[in-house]
Coordinates of all heavy atoms in Angstrom, one line a residue:
A1213 N -120.3 -62.9 55.4 CA -121.7 -62.7 55.1 C -122.3 -62.4 56.5 O -121.8 -62.7 57.5 CB -122.3 -64.0 54.5
G1214 N -123.5 -61.7 56.4 CA -124.2 -61.3 57.6 C -125.1 -62.5 58.1 O -125.3 -63.5 57.4
T1215 N -125.6 -62.3 59.3 CA -126.4 -63.4 59.9 C -127.6 -63.7 59.0 O -128.0 -64.9 58.8 CB -126.9 -63.0 61.3 OG1 -125.8 -62.7 62.1 CG2 -127.7 -64.0 61.9
A1216 N -128.3 -62.7 58.4 CA -129.5 -62.8 57.6 C -129.2 -63.7 56.4 O -130.1 -64.4 55.9 CB -130.0 -61.5 57.2
K1217 N -128.0 -63.7 55.9 CA -127.7 -64.5 54.7 C -127.3 -65.9 55.0 O -127.1 -66.7 54.1 CB -126.5 -63.8 53.9 CG -126.8 -62.5 53.3 CD -125.7 -61.9 52.5 CE -126.0 -60.6 51.9 NZ -124.9 -60.1 51.1
I1218 N -127.2 -66.2 56.3 CA -126.7 -67.6 56.7 C -127.8 -68.3 57.4 O -128.2 -69.4 57.1 CB -125.5 -67.5 57.6 CG1 -124.3 -66.9 56.8 CG2 -125.1 -68.9 58.1 CD1 -123.0 -66.7 57.6
E1219 N -128.4 -67.7 58.4 CA -129.4 -68.4 59.3 C -130.7 -68.6 58.5 O -131.1 -67.7 57.7 CB -129.7 -67.6 60.5 CG -128.5 -67.5 61.5 CD -128.8 -66.8 62.7 OE1 -129.8 -66.1 62.8 OE2 -127.9 -66.8 63.7
G1220 N -131.3 -69.8 58.7 CA -132.5 -70.1 58.0 C -132.4 -70.6 56.6 O -133.3 -70.8 55.8
R1221 N -131.1 -70.8 56.1 CA -130.9 -71.3 54.8 C -130.1 -72.6 54.8 O -129.4 -72.9 55.8 CB -130.1 -70.2 54.0 CG -130.7 -68.9 53.9 CD -129.8 -67.9 53.2 NE -129.6 -68.2 51.8 CZ -128.7 -67.6 51.1 NH1 -128.0 -66.6 51.5 NH2 -128.6 -67.9 49.8
P1222 N -130.2 -73.4 53.8 CA -129.5 -74.7 53.7 C -128.0 -74.4 53.7 O -127.5 -73.3 53.2 CB -129.9 -75.3 52.4 CG -131.2 -74.7 52.1 CD -131.2 -73.3 52.6
V1223 N -127.2 -75.3 54.2 CA -125.8 -75.2 54.3 C -125.2 -74.9 52.9 O -124.3 -74.1 52.7 CB -125.1 -76.4 54.9 CG1 -123.6 -76.4 54.8 CG2 -125.5 -76.5 56.4
A1224 N -125.7 -75.6 51.9 CA -125.1 -75.5 50.5 C -125.3 -74.1 50.0 O -124.4 -73.7 49.2 CB -125.8 -76.5 49.6
Q1225 N -126.3 -73.4 50.4 CA -126.5 -72.1 49.9 C -125.9 -71.0 50.8 O -125.3 -70.1 50.3 CB -128.0 -71.8 49.8 CG -128.8 -72.6 48.8 CD -130.3 -72.3 48.9 OE1 -130.7 -71.3 49.4 NE2 -131.1 -73.2 48.3
A1226 N -126.0 -71.3 52.1 CA -125.4 -70.3 53.1 C -123.9 -70.3 53.1 O -123.3 -69.3 53.3 CB -126.0 -70.5 54.4
L1227 N -123.3 -71.5 53.0 CA -121.9 -71.6 53.2 C -121.3 -72.5 52.1 O -120.8 -73.6 52.4 CB -121.6 -72.3 54.6 CG -122.1 -71.5 55.8 CD1 -122.1 -72.4 57.1 CD2 -121.4 -70.2 56.0
P1228 N -121.4 -72.1 50.9 CA -121.0 -72.9 49.8 C -119.5 -73.3 49.8 O -119.1 -74.5 49.5 CB -121.3 -72.1 48.5 CG -121.3 -70.7 49.0 CD -121.9 -70.8 50.4
R1229 N -118.6 -72.4 50.2 CA -117.2 -72.7 50.2 C -116.8 -73.6 51.4 O -115.8 -74.3 51.3 CB -116.4 -71.4 50.3 CG -116.5 -70.5 49.0 CD -115.8 -69.2 49.2 NE -115.9 -68.4 48.0 CZ -115.4 -67.1 47.9 NH1 -114.9 -66.5 49.0 NH2 -115.5 -66.4 46.8
W1230 N -117.6 -73.5 52.4 CA -117.2 -74.2 53.6 C -117.7 -75.6 53.6 O -117.4 -76.4 54.6 CB -117.8 -73.5 54.9 CG -117.1 -72.2 55.0 CD1 -117.4 -71.0 54.4 CD2 -115.9 -71.9 55.8 NE1 -116.5 -70.0 54.8 CE2 -115.5 -70.6 55.7 CE3 -115.1 -72.7 56.6 CZ2 -114.4 -70.0 56.3 CZ3 -114.0 -72.2 57.2 CH2 -113.7 -70.8 57.1
Q1231 N -118.4 -76.0 52.6 CA -118.8 -77.4 52.5 C -117.6 -78.3 52.3 O -117.7 -79.5 52.6 CB -119.8 -77.6 51.3 CG -121.2 -77.1 51.5 CD -122.1 -77.6 50.4 OE1 -122.9 -78.4 50.6 NE2 -122.0 -77.0 49.2
A1232 N -116.5 -77.8 51.9 CA -115.3 -78.6 51.7 C -114.8 -79.2 53.1 O -114.1 -80.2 53.1 CB -114.1 -77.7 51.1
L1233 N -115.2 -78.6 54.2 CA -114.9 -79.1 55.5 C -115.6 -80.4 55.8 O -115.3 -81.2 56.7 CB -115.1 -78.1 56.6 CG -114.1 -76.9 56.6 CD1 -114.5 -75.9 57.7 CD2 -112.7 -77.4 56.8
G1234 N -116.7 -80.6 55.1 CA -117.5 -81.9 55.2 C -118.2 -82.0 56.6 O -118.4 -83.1 57.0
F1235 N -118.6 -80.9 57.2 CA -119.2 -81.0 58.5 C -120.6 -81.6 58.4 O -121.2 -82.1 59.4 CB -119.2 -79.7 59.3 CG -119.6 -78.5 58.6 CD1 -121.0 -78.3 58.4 CD2 -118.7 -77.6 58.1 CE1 -121.4 -77.1 57.7 CE2 -119.1 -76.4 57.5 CZ -120.5 -76.2 57.3
A1236 N -121.3 -81.4 57.2 CA -122.6 -82.0 57.1 C -122.5 -83.6 57.2 O -123.3 -84.2 57.9 CB -123.2 -81.6 55.7
D1237 N -121.5 -84.1 56.6 CA -121.3 -85.6 56.7 C -121.0 -86.0 58.1 O -121.4 -87.0 58.6 CB -120.2 -86.0 55.7 CG -119.8 -87.4 55.9 OD1 -120.6 -88.3 55.7 OD2 -118.6 -87.7 56.4
L1238 N -120.1 -85.1 58.8 CA -119.8 -85.4 60.1 C -121.0 -85.4 61.1 O -121.1 -86.2 62.0 CB -118.7 -84.4 60.6 CG -117.9 -84.8 61.8 CD1 -117.1 -86.1 61.5 CD2 -116.9 -83.7 62.2
C1239 N -121.9 -84.4 60.8 CA -123.2 -84.3 61.5 C -124.0 -85.6 61.4 O -124.6 -86.1 62.3 CB -123.9 -83.1 61.1 SG -123.2 -81.5 61.7
E1240 N -124.1 -86.1 60.1 CA -124.9 -87.3 59.9 C -124.3 -88.5 60.7 O -125.1 -89.2 61.4 CB -124.8 -87.7 58.4 CG -125.6 -86.7 57.5 CD -127.1 -86.9 57.5 OE1 -127.6 -87.8 58.3 OE2 -127.8 -86.2 56.9
R1241 N -123.0 -88.6 60.7 CA -122.4 -89.7 61.5 C -122.6 -89.5 63.0 O -122.8 -90.4 63.8 CB -120.9 -89.8 61.2 CG -120.7 -90.3 59.8 CD -119.3 -90.0 59.2 NE -118.3 -90.2 60.2 CZ -117.1 -89.7 60.2 NH1 -116.8 -88.8 59.2 NH2 -116.2 -89.9 61.1
A1242 N -122.5 -88.2 63.5 CA -122.7 -87.9 64.9 C -124.1 -88.3 65.3 O -124.3 -88.9 66.4 CB -122.4 -86.5 65.2
L1243 N -125.1 -87.9 64.5 CA -126.5 -88.3 64.8 C -126.7 -89.8 64.8 O -127.4 -90.3 65.7 CB -127.5 -87.6 63.9 CG -127.9 -86.2 64.2 CD1 -128.9 -85.7 63.1 CD2 -128.6 -86.1 65.6
A1244 N -126.1 -90.4 63.8 CA -126.3 -91.9 63.7 C -125.7 -92.6 64.9 O -126.2 -93.6 65.4 CB -125.7 -92.4 62.4
S1245 N -124.6 -92.1 65.4 CA -123.9 -92.8 66.5 C -124.3 -92.3 67.9 O -124.0 -92.9 68.9 CB -122.4 -92.6 66.4 OG -122.0 -91.2 66.5
A1246 N -125.0 -91.1 67.9 CA -125.5 -90.5 69.1 C -124.3 -90.1 70.0 O -124.4 -90.1 71.2 CB -126.4 -91.4 69.9
H1247 N -123.2 -89.8 69.4 CA -122.0 -89.4 70.1 C -121.3 -88.2 69.4 O -121.4 -88.1 68.1 CB -121.0 -90.5 70.3 CG -121.4 -91.6 71.2 ND1 -122.1 -92.6 70.9 CD2 -121.2 -91.7 72.6 CE1 -122.4 -93.4 71.9 NE2 -121.8 -92.8 73.0
E1248 N -120.7 -87.3 70.1 CA -120.0 -86.2 69.5 C -118.8 -86.8 68.7 O -118.2 -87.8 69.1 CB -119.6 -85.2 70.5 CG -118.6 -85.6 71.5 CD -119.2 -86.0 72.8 OE1 -120.4 -86.5 72.8 OE2 -118.6 -85.9 73.9
L1249 N -118.5 -86.1 67.6 CA -117.3 -86.5 66.8 C -116.4 -85.2 66.6 O -116.9 -84.1 66.6 CB -117.8 -87.0 65.5 CG -118.6 -88.3 65.5 CD1 -119.0 -88.7 64.1 CD2 -117.8 -89.5 66.1
E1250 N -115.1 -85.5 66.4 CA -114.2 -84.4 66.1 C -113.2 -84.9 65.2 O -112.5 -85.9 65.5 CB -113.6 -83.8 67.4 CG -112.8 -82.6 67.2 CD -112.4 -81.9 68.5 OE1 -112.7 -82.5 69.6 OE2 -111.9 -80.8 68.4
E1251 N -113.0 -84.2 64.1 CA -112.0 -84.5 63.1 C -111.3 -83.3 62.6 O -111.8 -82.2 62.7 CB -112.6 -85.3 61.9 CG -113.2 -86.6 62.3 CD -113.7 -87.3 61.1 OE1 -113.6 -86.8 59.9 OE2 -114.3 -88.5 61.3
E1252 N -110.1 -83.5 62.1 CA -109.3 -82.3 61.5 C -109.5 -82.3 60.0 O -109.4 -83.4 59.3 CB -107.8 -82.5 61.8 CG -107.5 -82.3 63.3 CD -106.1 -82.5 63.7 OE1 -105.3 -82.8 62.7 OE2 -105.7 -82.3 64.8
R1253 N -109.9 -81.2 59.5 CA -110.1 -81.0 58.0 C -109.4 -79.8 57.5 O -109.1 -78.8 58.2 CB -111.6 -80.8 57.8 CG -112.5 -82.0 58.3 CD -112.4 -83.2 57.5 NE -113.2 -84.3 58.0 CZ -114.5 -84.5 57.7 NH1 -115.1 -83.7 56.9 NH2 -115.1 -85.6 58.2
F1254 N -109.0 -79.9 56.2 CA -108.3 -78.8 55.5 C -109.2 -78.1 54.5 O -109.9 -78.8 53.7 CB -107.0 -79.3 54.9 CG -106.2 -78.3 54.2 CD1 -105.4 -77.5 54.9 CD2 -106.3 -78.1 52.8 CE1 -104.6 -76.5 54.3 CE2 -105.5 -77.2 52.2 CZ -104.7 -76.3 52.9
I1255 N -109.2 -76.8 54.4 CA -110.0 -76.1 53.4 C -109.0 -75.3 52.6 O -108.1 -74.6 53.1 CB -111.0 -75.2 54.0 CG1 -111.9 -74.5 52.9 CG2 -110.4 -74.1 54.9 CD1 -113.1 -73.8 53.5
A1256 N -109.1 -75.4 51.2 CA -108.2 -74.7 50.3 C -108.3 -73.2 50.4 O -109.3 -72.7 51.0 CB -108.5 -75.2 48.9
A1257 N -107.3 -72.5 49.8 CA -107.2 -71.1 50.0 C -108.4 -70.4 49.3 O -108.9 -70.8 48.2 CB -105.9 -70.6 49.3

């Protein structure tokens, strides 16, 4: 997708397939802990 279809839109709309990586949940935890987090995730074909 182009930049216009991604920027300025909610993650669920802009990146529906990529929600499987769960980075929104990881962001919530990073904000709550005030520390960066890094995890390995798998996305289906």
Side-chain angles (χ1 to χ4, degrees):
T1215 304
K1217 293 183 178 181
I1218 297 177
E1219 294 181 350
R1221 302 176 64 188
V1223 171
Q1225 297 177 14
L1227 304 166
R1229 294 174 177 174
W1230 292 87
Q1231 287 193 103
L1233 290 176
F1235 50 76
D1237 170 66
L1238 200 61
C1239 288
E1240 291 283 358
R1241 288 161 46 203
L1243 272 184
S1245 64
H1247 288 88
E1248 64 265 27
L1249 297 176
E1250 186 167 9
E1251 295 182 2
E1252 294 179 357
R1253 302 287 177 85
F1254 181 78
I1255 185 169

